[in-house]
Amino acid sequence: MNAGPIRILLIEDNPADANLVERYLGQDSGDSGFQLEWADRVADGCDRLKQGGHDLVLLDLSLPDSDGAQTYETVISGAGRVPVVVMTGQNDGEQALAAVREGAQDYLVKDRVDADILVRSIRYAIERKRIEEKLRVSEERYSLAVTGANDGVWDWDVDAGTVYFSDRWKQMLGWSAEDVGQDSDAWLSRVHPSDLPTVKQQLVDHLAGRTGHFENEHRLLEKGGTYRWVLARGLSVSDKTGRVIRMAGSLTDIHDRKMTEERLLHDAMHDGLTQLPNAALFRDRLRVAIAQAERRQNYLFAVLFFDLDRFKVINDSLGHAVGDRLLVAIARRLLSFLRPGDTVARLGGDEFAILANDIDDPRDATRIAERIQEELSLPFDLGGHEVFTGASIGIALSSTGYSSEQEVLRDADIAMYRAKSRGGSHHAVFDETMHRRAVELLQLETDLRRAVDGEEFVTHYQPIVDLKNGRIQGFEALVRWRHPERGLVYPDEFIPVAEETGMIVPLGWSVIRQACLQTAKWCGEVSNRNLALSVNLSPRQFAQPDLIERLLEILRDTGMEPSNLRLEIIESLIMDDARSAIAKLGRLCDLGLQLHIDDFGTGYSSLSYLHKLPTHTVKIDRSFVTRMKPGGGQDEIVETIVSLARGLGMHVAAEGLETSDQFRKLCQLKCEYGQGYYFSRPLDSEAAGALIAENPLWRPESGE
Ligand code: C2E
Ligand code: MG
Ligand code: MG
């Protein structure tokens, strides 16, 4: 309002009435605080209003250019925010009330007005209009803010038990005004059952004054039957005694954000291909299980760990797309029989792990392992490719007493390797000895690396006897490790590790070189006669691309006669890639070398390709020879092998020959060569040299 006098526009056609008003407002007495302006027609009044600056309009309803309702409608709309007080001639309550309802601040009946009444009415009208205006602005601001924020609004009258829900509140969830009641149940009955307890708890906490405000994210039922994520905020209002009488707040739609969050979280915790939990989530769940096991005495869980047999072969031969499809199909099969509380995860590549929670008995874990093996042994039909796989499964049980998930996974891994070492699809439960063994193996590997560099290896020689004449025909070179602390270590203990780590390659070459040098020396100096040398060629060594060059180099350097060198290979060497292996063996033969199949009879069915191999001799595995006991009845196997080899034009050697009885029988079977403790144990080069010089002769004693 202006600081100066209150400016009043009087719209009145009757000069007498106008004069009266003028007088009441003290216009005749100079400084009255009012400044009166007079218009005698509605049109004139509206023109003046347009110019602005008025604080109030005093309006007579019956004017020459307008009458009654028409008058106040025109003026009130023209007045805008300027308050209007209506004056009527007669006491027409109806019309006056209508005017007030339309926006007039007050109405006065002319013949009942005096100066006091008029002045008070004017002052009240101005003041009321000012407050109204303030309220309107504030409400407008509030409603703009709410609409702008796109939030729903709720207002709970605690005493009345009613809740006001704004249209937006309802629209957000697709409900119409009639669908939603007017009490708190209209809200709470739509909260997702899993969210309801926390919503209620937080409401109670806020109403009891334990929290500064109410804020909760929960899901609300949409009209379509689905749930939508919302954020509800609110504040309570208390009366003077501190009792809550009202609580109001907003409802924000956070569904999209929640969904994005959930998806990101899901993606971070799951494997993109199979949608199974990934390693991170698996470790999380494992941590929870460990904590559980620490708290609850009889709580038992198991972790099963495995990778797929031949997955690399499937991937390489049928392509990655088929490999991927296989992984997805396996995930599906695993999920089909596991309990809902169990976790099956893809840890990466072809590695899977299962957390079986709260099992009753360790046997439950082995039963799951058997079930996995059963499922995996059934063929997978991957778009025209029928694929078979299998798995060796390692199991760790919580009864071992774990404090970290790494320990559990480590032990399951160790157990898996133990299961694998048994060959085929097996499972193994971890126990302490496995751990010790794993540590020992690690130690062995470290020692072995050092030994290869430091040349701690010596070669021993075991004579191979020509059974036809009982004379030494040659030697097999057998490596030994002169361990600085443990003394002489035998190959069974370190060859597998050397093979696995690749250290067999440098080790193998150094043995072959040493043995060739020694044999060439014996041939030249000591006996001056032909001696054969058998060396063991590991699969890893055989796979080296420079195999032929290395051999030629050694033969040249040592002066070893190629026709005197025999390479002992094992059957599995041919299994992996038969065609290229056979070609390579052919080239070795072309050099003039002989190929012997070692440990014959222990490998896979070699008969199918045996005739294709350019091999010279098969060496019957010592397990068959050992079983040739008097009355043992196992001679047939040896007999069969001998006749088979003969049919293929090959020679036969027997290893592990320990008794005179075996010697005699092998002679009878016309087995060409024999090697074993009966003749001599493997000897160091000095003792072997002495044996050559001695030139012993062995004859089978006639059987008694
Ligand atoms: P292998 O090639 O089958 O060698 C024969 C094994 O039988 C030798 O064991 C030998 O000492 C043992 N043996 C010989 N006669 C008898 C007998 O009458 N009774 C019994 N019980 N055993 C007998 P060793 O020396 O412990 O070698 C074990 C294996 O280690 C070898 O089996 C061979 O596969 C591997 N190996 C040894 N030296 C080398 C090498 O320099 N390179 C490669 N790659 N492997 C080697
Ligand atoms: Mg051998
Ligand atoms: Mg052997």
Side-chain angles (χ1 to χ4, degrees):
M1 199 170 36
N2 307 329
I6 296 170
R7 275 186 67 191
I8 292 174
L9 173 64
L10 172 67
I11 306 177
E12 170 64 78
D13 63 330
N14 186 341
D17 288 347
N19 277 340
L20 201 62
V21 168
E22 218 171 12
R23 215 175 50 241
Y24 285 161
L25 295 183
Q27 292 297 290
D28 47 351
S29 64
D31 181 22
S32 64
F34 293 102
Q35 184 188 325
L36 191 67
E37 215 175 297
W38 179 31
D40 61 356
R41 296 289 184 275
V42 169
D44 181 26
C46 286
D47 283 348
R48 285 168 189 267
L49 275 171
K50 273 189 202 131
Q51 288 159 21
H54 303 100
D55 294 314
L56 184 123
V57 179
L58 262 178
L59 173 66
D60 177 20
L61 283 182
S62 49
L63 292 160
D65 59 342
S66 169
D67 194 40
Q70 178 67 49
T71 309
Y72 63 70
E73 264 170 37
T74 314
V75 174
I76 282 172
S77 75
R81 292 184 190 158
V82 180
V84 177
V85 172
V86 169
M87 290 200 303
T88 66
Q90 68 275 56
N91 188 359
D92 182 352
E94 273 304 301
Q95 201 171 47
L97 247 156
V100 169
R101 225 176 274 130
E102 207 64 34
Q105 287 294 334
D106 201 358
Y107 81 94
L108 303 168
V109 181
K110 282 182 184 167
D111 52 8
R112 294 203 197 139
V113 172
D114 61 16
D116 278 352
I117 290 174
L118 182 61
V119 169
R120 195 169 63 225
S121 173
I122 288 172
R123 290 202 186 275
Y124 279 9
I126 291 172
E127 188 57 18
R128 228 180 2 251
K129 186 75 183 176
R130 200 177 59 76
I131 292 169
E132 237 174 48
E133 190 58 19
K134 246 169 108 176
L135 193 66
R136 192 190 58 77
V137 169
S138 136
E139 252 181 6
E140 193 175 75
R141 187 186 303 132
Y142 174 69
S143 120
L144 273 172
V146 168
T147 320
N150 214 14
D151 285 354
V153 170
W154 50 275
D155 189 349
W156 177 20
D157 182 335
V158 177
D159 284 340
T162 55
V163 185
Y164 159 81
F165 298 104
S166 73
D167 289 345
R168 174 72 191 130
W169 195 103
K170 295 165 195 164
Q171 280 161 9
M172 205 182 281
L173 304 160
W175 297 105
S176 63
E178 306 82 65
D179 295 329
V180 180
Q182 293 203 330
D183 53 11
S184 56
D185 204 43
W187 181 348
L188 295 179
S189 67
R190 287 179 168 84
V191 175
H192 192 286
S194 349
D195 300 339
L196 192 58
T198 55
V199 172
K200 280 185 171 165
Q201 188 57 48
Q202 292 190 12
L203 270 174
V204 167
D205 285 349
H206 180 59
L207 292 175
R210 286 191 286 272
T211 53
H213 68 285
F214 166 78
E215 179 166 338
N216 183 274
E217 292 183 357
H218 56 266
R219 282 159 289 178
L220 278 181
L221 186 65
E222 294 181 283
K223 180 129 190 186
T226 47
Y227 280 91
R228 199 161 188 84
W229 276 101
V230 296
L231 165 69
R233 285 187 224 253
L235 260 184
S236 63
V237 180
S238 308
D239 65 8
K240 287 200 192 85
T241 67
R243 197 176 53 90
V244 175
I245 48 169
R246 181 181 180 188
M247 184 170 168
S250 63
L251 193 77
T252 312
D253 184 344
I254 55 165
H255 194 72
D256 291 346
R257 162 171 69 81
K258 256 325 220 212
M259 288 295 108
T260 312
E261 264 173 31
E262 265 176 21
R263 211 192 50 241
L264 288 176
L265 198 67
H266 179 274
D267 289 354
M269 291 293 183
H270 289 79
D271 164 44
L273 178 66
T274 60
Q275 295 306 320
L276 291 179
N278 63 13
L281 181 54
F282 189 78
R283 284 203 199 93
D284 262 9
R285 302 231 170 120
L286 193 49
R287 262 195 294 274
V288 173
I290 292 169
Q292 188 92 300
E294 278 170 353
R295 273 198 309 274
R296 273 173 47 197
Q297 185 119 71
N298 51 2
Y299 177 87
L300 187 65
F301 72 79
V303 166
L304 293 90
F305 182 67
F306 63 92
D307 58 20
L308 304 175
D309 296 343
R310 293 185 298 281
F311 184 70
K312 199 179 137 36
V313 179
I314 294 167
N315 236 351
D316 290 351
S317 55
L318 301 178
H320 287 263
V322 175
D324 283 358
R325 251 181 284 163
L326 176 64
L327 292 171
V328 172
I330 285 172
R332 216 171 294 140
R333 274 196 201 172
L334 292 173
L335 287 172
S336 72
F337 69 86
L338 287 170
R339 296 178 307 170
D342 297 341
T343 299
V344 49
R346 180 178 171 218
L347 300 189
D350 62 338
E351 279 179 2
F352 292 87
I354 289 163
L355 169 63
N357 258 314
D358 206 3
I359 53 174
D360 299 326
D361 193 274
R363 268 172 304 180
D364 288 348
T366 51
R367 266 194 288 269
I368 296 174
E370 279 156 16
R371 185 70 202 270
I372 295 171
Q373 274 154 348
E374 211 178 285
E375 288 287 338
L376 295 189
S377 68
L378 302 172
F380 287 89
D381 182 12
L382 305 173
H385 297 284
E386 194 166 68
V387 174
F388 291 86
T389 183
S392 298
I393 304 172
I395 304 171
L397 293 166
S398 59
S399 47
T400 306
Y402 292 110
S403 53
S404 79
E405 72 278 10
Q406 286 95 328
E407 289 169 4
V408 184
L409 285 170
R410 179 200 63 200
D411 287 357
D413 190 41
I414 291 173
M416 180 182 79
Y417 275 95
R418 170 53 61 91
K420 269 189 206 266
S421 70
R422 292 182 193 157
S425 288
H426 282 285
H427 57 264
V429 179
F430 175 83
D431 64 46
E432 261 314 305
T433 56
M434 285 185 198
H435 179 64
R436 235 176 305 145
R437 174 102 188 101
V439 172
E440 276 168 20
L441 272 182
L442 196 67
Q443 181 64 45
L444 185 69
E445 193 186 322
T446 318
D447 287 359
L448 205 53
R449 262 178 219 289
R450 192 203 55 226
V452 169
D453 295 341
E455 300 187 343
E456 289 174 16
F457 297 98
V458 283
T459 309
H460 281 194
Y461 301 88
Q462 187 178 32
I464 297 173
V465 175
D466 185 338
L467 299 186
K468 286 191 298 296
N469 59 24
R471 295 287 182 193
I472 293 176
Q473 181 255 359
F475 289 88
E476 174 171 8
L478 296 161
V479 69
R480 272 93 185 90
W481 179 7
R482 219 184 265 133
H483 194 284
E485 286 128 40
R486 298 170 55 199
L488 213 56
V489 179
Y490 286 84
D492 284 341
E493 212 179 306
F494 62 86
I495 291 285
V497 179
E499 179 77 30
E500 200 177 307
T501 54
M503 278 180 283
I504 192 71
V505 177
L507 171 60
W509 286 126
S510 100
V511 173
I512 295 177
R513 179 175 285 272
Q514 221 177 67
C516 283
L517 204 62
Q518 182 63 66
T519 309
K521 206 162 144 198
W522 282 329
C523 286
E525 298 168 9
V526 181
S527 64
N528 210 9
R529 71 176 172 107
N530 241 8
L531 274 179
L533 171 67
S534 295
V535 293
N536 295 289
L537 193 70
S538 92
R540 195 80 176 240
Q541 234 180 321
F542 179 74
Q544 297 299 303
D546 62 349
L547 174 77
I548 309 254
E549 290 77 45
R550 291 297 295 271
L551 275 171
L552 283 172
E553 188 187 295
I554 290 175
L555 290 170
R556 201 179 49 232
D557 291 355
T558 59
M560 176 82 190
E561 200 53 57
S563 60
N564 283 342
L565 186 61
R566 278 106 226 245
L567 300 179
E568 292 194 359
I569 55 166
I570 50 171
E571 292 162 74
S572 63
L573 178 143
I574 304 135
M575 289 298 290
D576 289 341
D577 182 1
R579 198 169 329 142
S580 85
I582 291 171
K584 207 163 182 180
L585 291 171
R587 288 206 297 283
L588 290 173
C589 275
D590 295 343
L591 299 180
L593 307 179
Q594 279 189 21
L595 295 173
H596 292 195
I597 300 184
D598 206 351
D599 304 341
F600 187 79
T602 57
Y604 302 93
S605 75
S606 36
L607 300 178
S608 54
Y609 56 81
L610 196 57
H611 67 281
K612 291 191 195 142
L613 296 182
T615 40
H616 189 264
T617 303
V618 294
K619 250 181 126 171
I620 304 175
D621 189 67
R622 69 168 182 264
S623 59
F624 301 117
V625 179
T626 311
R627 276 186 246 143
M628 295 176 73
K629 289 193 188 110
Q634 292 271 340
D635 305 1
E636 289 86 355
I637 297 177
V638 176
E639 264 182 74
T640 310
I641 296 175
V642 171
S643 64
L644 174 85
R646 190 119 323 124
L648 294 168
M650 294 182 189
H651 295 289
V652 183
E655 61 178 22
L657 199 162
E658 293 184 357
T659 65
S660 59
D661 196 47
Q662 290 161 351
F663 181 28
R664 200 189 58 248
K665 277 187 185 158
L666 287 163
C667 285
Q668 280 165 6
L669 290 173
K670 304 257 178 323
C671 177
E672 280 92 352
Y673 305 104
Q675 176 184 354
Y677 295 168
Y678 177 74
F679 304 118
S680 164
R681 289 187 175 257
L683 306 166
D684 62 27
S685 57
E686 205 179 323
L691 192 69
I692 296 166
E694 195 187 304
N695 193 18
L697 174 71
W698 286 282
R699 286 278 177 220
E701 298 150 22
S702 55
E704 48 284 346

